[in-house]
Amino acid sequence: MFYTLSVIGGRWKVGILASLLDNDELRYSEIKGRLHNITERMLIKQLKELQDEGLIIRKDYKEVPPRVHYSISDKGRSLQDVLITLRYWGKKYRNE
């Protein structure tokens, strides 16, 4: 449990993973648009950490202007049931 929380813990990682689970690929700006109030620096940091853990895949198209897409890896997709359970728990107890 502690390892899982160290990998997906924090304010933004679950939101990033959930966004990528709902979409095949997202550009940086699309992820940022789904996460209100996240700073550029924090989003870059969180994406890098998720990539280092093997939960997301970053594809750089080496174009000008730069084009980068993010997608969820198989390892990241394996967290889908955990994330759904977290969503249901939050909905159930949010207004208590």
Side-chain angles (χ1 to χ4, degrees), residues 16-27:
I16 293 168
L17 291 169
S19 295
L20 290 171
L21 278 167
D22 291 342
N23 299 275
D24 290 335
E25 284 187 335
L26 290 174
R27 295 181 73 162

Side-chain angles (χ1 to χ4, degrees), residues 23-63:
N23 299 275
D24 290 335
E25 284 187 335
L26 290 174
R27 295 181 73 162
Y28 175 88
S29 60
E30 294 171 318
I31 296 170
K32 188 166 185 347
R34 286 171 168 74
L35 303 172
H36 303 289
N37 299 323
I38 191 169
T39 64
E40 300 274 333
R41 182 175 178 212
M42 182 56 71
L43 180 54
I44 291 167
K45 180 180 184 288
Q46 299 296 286
L47 289 169
K48 178 76 171 117
E49 289 177 9
L50 290 168
Q51 183 182 352
D52 290 347
E53 286 291 340
L55 299 177
I56 66 171
I57 300 164
R58 180 182 189 272
K59 184 170 183 181
D60 185 349
Y61 288 90
K62 307 280 188 210
E63 297 176 351

